[in-house]
Amino acid sequence: MNDTQLITAAENFAKEQLGRDTTGHDWFHTNRVRNTAALIAGMEGANVVICSIAALLHDVADEKLNPSKEAGLLKVSDWLDRHLPDEAARKHIMEIIATMSFSGGGGEPMSTLEGQVVQDADRLDALGAIGITRTMVFSGAKGRPVYDPQLPPRDESLQKEYRDYTKGTAVNHFYEKLLKLKDLMNTAYGRQLAEERHQFMLSFLEQFYKEWNQGAE
């Protein structure tokens, strides 16, 4: 199986696993992350094939979409065992997927350039207009309200607290995660792309509070 065939197979697997997702982790998200990862990889000199495969499979393993983190990783590992003979490449891709999660901002740093690229691409899709939309969709799917002035943002240094989606609000998620991402970008080009999206979110929040408090005494 050549690189083109491998990428096509990974695309089909991702579509099969994520095609019915309604939380913002669907195939379209995956495809955007793959395209952005390939773009950054070209700018930063990373292995485009490794970045593309890891990006295509990253949410297949996501613990939010599986019974556990271990179950999700095993699903991807089994697929790679069947489709990618290169053991070093399999291990590299699995390492990227296993460590790229935000995890309340306390995750391990990516150890390879390819990992940094894919993590940046995934984080970029949580920023800007797309990020705002995905936050609202995910919050609705998890039963979170849009906003409650009586609920302050949580301390997201605790991973268990971060993963409790029954608490908090969609707007608080900006402060708990999204507004932190710009400063967590790994690559120079990723930071460049993040800046505009970060500023757009700040403008959105300013307008949101203006409308929320319209006419209030």
Side-chain angles (χ1 to χ4, degrees):
M1 184 178 292
N2 61 35
D3 291 343
T4 300
Q5 292 170 325
L6 178 62
I7 289 173
T8 298
E11 288 174 351
N12 292 335
F13 184 50
K15 289 176 184 177
E16 170 193 314
Q17 294 293 316
L18 305 170
R20 294 183 176 87
D21 179 79
T22 57
T23 70
H25 298 82
D26 53 20
W27 160 248
F28 298 107
H29 160 69
T30 295
N31 194 39
R32 288 192 303 270
V33 173
R34 182 267 299 270
N35 291 337
T36 303
L39 176 64
I40 298 174
M43 295 293 292
E44 298 287 341
N47 185 310
V48 176
V49 174
I50 292 291
C51 290
S52 297
I53 298 298
L56 285 167
L57 301 181
H58 80 283
D59 267 345
V60 174
D62 195 303
E63 63 184 290
K64 296 188 290 295
L65 309 178
N66 288 282
S68 66
K69 180 176 182 178
E70 292 72 23
L73 291 172
L74 180 61
K75 184 190 299 182
V76 173
S77 179
D78 287 346
W79 187 90
L80 287 171
D81 287 344
R82 296 193 305 272
H83 292 84
L84 182 57
D86 187 333
E87 181 180 3
R90 291 200 306 269
K91 288 183 176 179
H92 191 178
I93 291 168
M94 287 305 302
E95 179 188 7
I96 292 171
I97 294 173
T99 56
M100 65 182 284
S101 174
F102 178 75
S103 299
E108 292 294 323
M110 305 305 292
S111 62
T112 67
L113 176 58
E114 287 73 22
Q116 293 173 0
V117 166
V118 178
Q119 188 176 60
D120 278 3
D122 189 39
R123 287 174 170 176
L124 281 164
D125 211 56
L127 296 175
I130 292 290
I132 292 168
T133 305
R134 292 180 63 224
T135 295
M136 298 306 172
V137 167
F138 185 79
S139 295
K142 297 299 181 180
R144 277 195 307 210
V146 171
Y147 180 56
D148 183 343
Q150 302 303 313
L151 292 177
R154 295 168 294 168
D155 178 2
E156 296 312 304
S157 62
L158 302 176
Q159 182 175 352
K160 183 177 180 181
E161 178 77 1
Y162 174 71
R163 290 301 188 193
D164 187 351
Y165 303 114
T166 64
K167 297 180 180 180
T169 68
V171 169
N172 280 353
H173 189 63
F174 285 83
Y175 302 97
E176 295 164 354
K177 176 182 177 180
L178 306 187
L179 294 175
K180 297 178 180 180
L181 294 179
K182 176 176 69 71
D183 294 331
L184 295 174
M185 302 300 286
N186 301 293
T187 65
Y189 193 58
R191 287 191 291 274
Q192 179 182 329
L193 294 175
E195 184 63 42
E196 179 184 6
R197 300 187 187 204
H198 181 86
Q199 293 303 318
F200 184 87
M201 292 191 304
L202 292 177
S203 297
F204 167 81
L205 288 170
E206 181 180 0
Q207 181 68 18
F208 178 88
Y209 293 128
K210 179 180 178 181
E211 294 179 15
W212 184 276
N213 295 310
Q214 190 84 55
E217 295 183 0

